[in-house]
Amino acid sequence: MLREFKLPDVGEGLTEADIVAWHVKPGEAVEDGQIIVEIETAKAVVELPCPWDGTVARLLAEEGQTVEVGVPIIAVEVGAPDSAERAPAPALAPAEGTAPAESTTPAESVPDDEAGAHSVLVGYGVKTSATTRRARRTAAGRPETAEVPTAPEVPVEPVELATQPRAAGPGVPAARALAKPPVRKLAKDLGISLAELAGSGPDGSITRDDVHRAAATDTGVRSAESGNGSRTVSPATAAGGEERIPIRGVRKHMAAAMVSSAFTAPHVTEFLQVDVTETMSALRRVRELPEFAELRVSPLLFVARALLVAVARHPLINSSWDAAAEEIVVKHYVNLGIAVAAERGLIVPNIKRADALPLPELARSLQALTETGRAGKATPADLAGGTITITNVGVFGVDAGTPILTPGETAILAFGQVKDTPWVVDGQLAVRKACTLSLSFDHRIVDGDLGSAVLRDIGSMLEDPVRILAWG
């Protein structure tokens, strides 16, 4: 029986996703739970498993194509015993008295995945109504009692497709080139065929440099297909000219979120230059402790802890504006967002209940969060529910900025680079470690007095880390 797997909603009510990379091709055997495709939603790259055992009949979406939730993306030929078991079901309808006893057996033997479980392979699940159907009526108005037990199969069995088999066409490569999904996307955008490139990476994998060299020297063979709307770049692009980059996935979501935030919440940004010499000294001592032996501890750890203490002292800074209810929602917990410059665009994963974590656990969570985000492995759950954010612009060699609020939050703290700076200490000029803090906040909720108090507290704790203990 030919079954179609439809693109599920992987969480947050997302309506579409881009196909990043297929892990299977037509003719290959697949197992229940095997990863078959990587998709990029508006927030993250997610791996989708197959819900059945069977053989791939055809791929219904190309790499790079944008697909709406609920649209079939792959057809799988499942085992014959499954279809044979259901074949007699329609014949049970005439005998109304005996139908309940006979129709119960197939319903009890239907595997969980055929009751709609494949729709919750990732994300937060589906509504129970999605798998509940009323009994259909025949032309004469009589209900078909045999269809009631098998109703969960309706959304996932497009019977008409069984008469439309299509062999793998010439667009399916005989051997899949070894390359990471971001490299595949780059090659797709530049119109480079990976099958024609010799990889210089580990195990012969194709790297971004390989793709760029092919585009620059015109040695790469241009892809014959661009049916999903991805751009094809001529050799002239590398030498000079224009390049059009599709706005998709994470970048599309980021752009919409930034525009919405900038034109919804009235932003105010305040700046404070801070002497962090004592914090840097404390950082060196913390790195020597056995609890932090396996961790890469950075100044961001102290900035995060200082912000968490400041939130506890000024809870209104950790809130959101509910326009529909005309209420300010103050959150007495902190899901600490960390802005990460991933290859696919800016994302803000967050550490859940960061305010409850001891310092070693906070350091471990910060490291794991940034590594996962930069690798493009942050999940929709990682990106949901943030309450306040830190953006570390110092890693780019920048002193300060005016960060835009993460939608749904009231404040964001930018942490600038730490550098040697002339500083007056006890009336004498000295060279100290200093940085600039920038706090943007929603002026509908936070006035200048509160914003200044929060920024001043954070600065005071970084000037003297003992205050973190005293105030925390």
Side-chain angles (χ1 to χ4, degrees), residues 295-296 300 304 335-342 347-352 354 357 361-379 381-384 386 388-390:
L295 299 173
R296 293 194 302 273
L300 181 62
N335 292 343
L336 181 61
I338 304 295
V340 177
I347 59 174
V348 188
N350 63 81
I351 301 171
K352 302 296 190 287
L357 298 178
E361 284 302 314
L362 181 59
R364 188 170 289 106
S365 298
L366 283 171
Q367 180 174 318
L369 195 74
T370 53
E371 289 177 351
T372 301
R374 288 170 183 163
K377 299 297 183 182
T379 66
D382 293 332
L383 302 166
I388 195 168
T389 296
I390 296 176

Side-chain angles (χ1 to χ4, degrees), residues 182-223:
V183 177
R184 293 184 179 280
K185 184 176 186 302
L186 175 64
K188 187 81 172 178
D189 292 341
L190 295 178
I192 300 297
S193 173
L194 292 178
E196 302 298 327
L197 299 185
S200 62
D203 300 322
S205 61
I206 298 171
T207 66
R208 293 178 62 86
D209 289 340
D210 296 331
V211 176
H212 281 303
R213 276 195 299 270
T217 60
D218 197 28
T219 57
V221 177
R222 302 293 169 180
S223 298

Side-chain angles (χ1 to χ4, degrees), residues 431-451:
V431 176
R432 306 285 286 183
K433 297 291 184 182
C435 74
T436 301
L437 303 175
S438 312
L439 182 70
S440 291
F441 51 85
D442 185 342
H443 215 352
R444 295 174 300 179
I445 301 174
V446 179
D447 56 23
D449 179 47
L450 175 58

Side-chain angles (χ1 to χ4, degrees), residues 104-394:
T104 301
T105 302
E108 293 174 347
S109 62
V110 173
D112 290 341
D113 64 86
E114 295 172 8
H118 72 284
S119 297
V120 294
L121 293 171
V122 291
Y124 304 106
V126 294
K127 298 179 181 178
T128 54
S129 60
T131 56
T132 302
R133 301 271 184 172
R134 295 179 180 176
R136 295 183 179 179
R137 293 185 176 275
T138 63
R142 185 178 68 255
E144 294 183 6
T145 56
E147 287 197 12
V148 176
T150 59
E153 301 171 21
V154 173
V156 296
E157 282 194 26
V159 179
E160 68 276 4
L161 291 174
T163 62
Q164 300 174 0
R166 178 164 60 95
V172 179
R176 183 178 179 81
L178 185 60
K180 294 181 179 179
V183 177
R184 293 184 179 280
K185 184 176 186 302
L186 175 64
K188 187 81 172 178
D189 292 341
L190 295 178
I192 300 297
S193 173
L194 292 178
E196 302 298 327
L197 299 185
S200 62
D203 300 322
S205 61
I206 298 171
T207 66
R208 293 178 62 86
D209 289 340
D210 296 331
V211 176
H212 281 303
R213 276 195 299 270
T217 60
D218 197 28
T219 57
V221 177
R222 302 293 169 180
S223 298
E225 298 182 9
S226 59
N228 53 37
S230 62
R231 71 191 191 281
T232 298
V233 181
S234 67
T237 302
E242 295 181 350
E243 179 183 5
R244 291 182 175 268
I245 302 175
I247 303 172
R248 295 174 178 157
V250 172
R251 188 170 299 279
K252 180 178 180 180
H253 172 75
M254 177 196 66
M258 293 299 97
V259 169
S260 173
S261 177
F263 290 97
T264 300
H267 285 55
V268 172
T269 305
E270 294 185 340
F271 304 89
L272 180 65
Q273 196 170 26
V274 181
D275 177 0
V276 294
T277 304
E278 295 302 322
T279 288
M280 299 306 291
S281 177
L283 178 64
R284 288 191 294 271
R285 295 196 298 272
V286 164
R287 286 171 175 167
E288 297 172 355
L289 297 175
E291 293 84 354
F292 299 87
E294 303 298 325
L295 299 173
R296 293 194 302 273
V297 183
S298 73
L300 181 62
L301 175 62
F302 283 81
V303 175
R305 177 59 76 191
L307 176 60
L308 293 171
V309 173
V311 166
R313 289 165 61 86
H314 309 281
L316 194 61
I317 200 71
N318 188 53
S319 61
S320 62
W321 182 274
D322 188 338
E326 297 186 339
E327 295 174 338
I328 295 172
V329 182
V330 181
K331 297 161 185 177
H332 297 287
Y333 60 91
V334 182
N335 292 343
L336 181 61
I338 304 295
V340 177
E343 187 171 7
R344 297 180 180 277
L346 175 66
I347 59 174
V348 188
N350 63 81
I351 301 171
K352 302 296 190 287
R353 304 284 175 167
D355 53 316
L357 298 178
L359 200 62
E361 284 302 314
L362 181 59
R364 188 170 289 106
S365 298
L366 283 171
Q367 180 174 318
L369 195 74
T370 53
E371 289 177 351
T372 301
R374 288 170 183 163
K377 299 297 183 182
T379 66
D382 293 332
L383 302 166
T387 63
I388 195 168
T389 296
I390 296 176
T391 175
N392 185 6
V393 298

